Amino acid sequence: MINKTIFISGATRGIGYATAMQAAKQGWSLILNGRDEKRLSEIKEELKSFFGATVYTLSYDVCDINEIKKTFMWIKKNVGRLDAVVNNAGILDDALLGMINDKQVSHTLAVNTEAVIFHMQYASRLMMKQKSGSIVNVSSIIGRVGNAGQTVYGASKAAVIGATYSAAKELAPYNIRVNAVAPGFIETDMSKQLSQEKYEQRLSEIKMGRIGTAEEVANVIIFLASDYSSYVTGQVIGVDGGMVI
């Protein structure tokens, strides 16, 4: 598990940040993406200081296909190999049917779905030459079971699951594994936006009786990115404390 190189999108907070921390603990080299260049620099120094990690930062909007292409060209030229990709960047923009506008749909799909597809496309080109690699896509429990007011978000995350299944079949002959995690109710900036009433309602649906942590999701992501899951592909693993049983 030593000396792997992992790319993580949306690495400045929440699950992405927790995944970066866990990867650094494993001694992996990191390539971190986010839109906040200052925050990326802070994380880079933090991981170097705590773990002696090699960290590269690439600040760009994941909706920009040209930037995605340039990113993987840069990785090929400056890093040389890529062992794992974590497609974590995502947005949540709730709206009830009848109140959804075209901007919400196009932007949510661009960030949550299209960015995943294009990151997989360009990453897989590098991994095909290596004949190895692991791609982990962050979906959501909402992409599996839906939720009122989250038709757009649910559609975008369900599409990630479909893309994961298809890419897994396509890339398996190259020894590239593609899996997804579907987090449930996790303590992140998104969950903090809920009203107390909605928070308690969500909590009541969890069989384990508590909210999950970003670190608990990150642990599953690292497992899927590592050699410990070398015969696992085309899977969607729920990290939800028993919300869906």
Side-chain angles (χ1 to χ4, degrees), residues 11-236:
T12 57
R13 57 195 176 115
I15 293 168
Y17 172 69
T19 303
M21 291 288 287
Q22 294 301 97
K25 286 180 184 178
Q26 302 300 321
W28 295 359
S29 297
L30 297 95
I31 304 165
L32 305 180
N33 156 265
R35 290 184 299 170
D36 188 339
E37 198 164 350
K38 181 181 177 184
R39 177 63 180 146
L40 282 174
S41 296
E42 292 171 353
I43 294 171
K44 178 178 181 177
E45 292 307 313
E46 181 181 6
L47 297 180
K48 286 173 65 177
S49 176
F50 288 173
F51 308 109
T54 298
V55 183
Y56 306 95
T57 60
L58 299 170
S59 180
Y60 66 91
D61 188 334
V62 295
C63 294
D64 191 328
I65 297 171
N66 288 328
E67 286 298 319
I68 297 172
K69 183 177 181 180
K70 286 195 292 185
T71 289
F72 289 99
M73 289 173 64
W74 184 92
I75 292 171
K76 180 181 179 181
K77 180 179 178 181
N78 295 279
V79 183
R81 70 175 289 111
L82 186 61
D83 299 291
V85 167
V86 180
N87 285 310
N88 167 72
I91 59 169
L92 178 64
D93 190 1
D94 290 356
L96 293 167
L97 287 169
M99 302 297 290
I100 299 168
N101 61 58
D102 58 347
K103 185 177 180 181
Q104 284 174 303
V105 175
S106 59
H107 189 222
T108 300
L109 291 176
V111 175
N112 292 359
T113 307
E114 291 175 24
V116 171
I117 292 170
F118 285 109
H119 277 85
M120 284 200 295
Q121 174 165 280
Y122 291 112
S124 65
R125 291 180 181 178
L126 274 177
M127 292 175 171
M128 282 178 181
K129 293 179 180 179
Q130 300 167 180
K131 293 287 194 290
S132 68
S134 174
I135 297 172
V136 185
N137 298 323
V138 179
S139 180
S140 168
I141 190 173
I142 308 304
R144 304 179 80 178
V145 300
N147 191 40
Q150 294 187 314
T151 297
V152 179
Y153 180 74
S156 72
K157 290 300 188 176
V160 168
I161 291 173
T164 297
Y165 287 146
S166 295
K169 290 182 177 181
E170 186 174 330
L171 298 176
Y174 300 94
N175 196 34
I176 300 168
R177 299 179 297 105
V178 187
N179 296 286
V181 294
F185 194 36
I186 307 297
E187 189 75 64
T188 63
D189 289 347
M190 285 185 181
S191 64
K192 291 173 184 176
Q193 295 172 9
L194 294 174
S195 66
Q196 187 64 30
E197 183 182 355
K198 282 191 175 181
Y199 185 96
E200 294 298 333
Q201 180 188 347
R202 295 277 178 87
L203 210 58
S204 70
E205 297 169 353
I206 302 171
K207 308 301 185 294
M208 290 183 71
R210 66 172 177 86
I211 194 170
T213 67
E215 289 74 19
E216 288 173 312
V217 181
N219 288 339
V220 178
I221 292 172
I222 292 297
F223 164 72
L224 291 172
S226 76
D227 293 339
Y228 285 134
S229 59
S230 58
Y231 200 53
V232 179
T233 194
Q235 302 302 307
V236 180

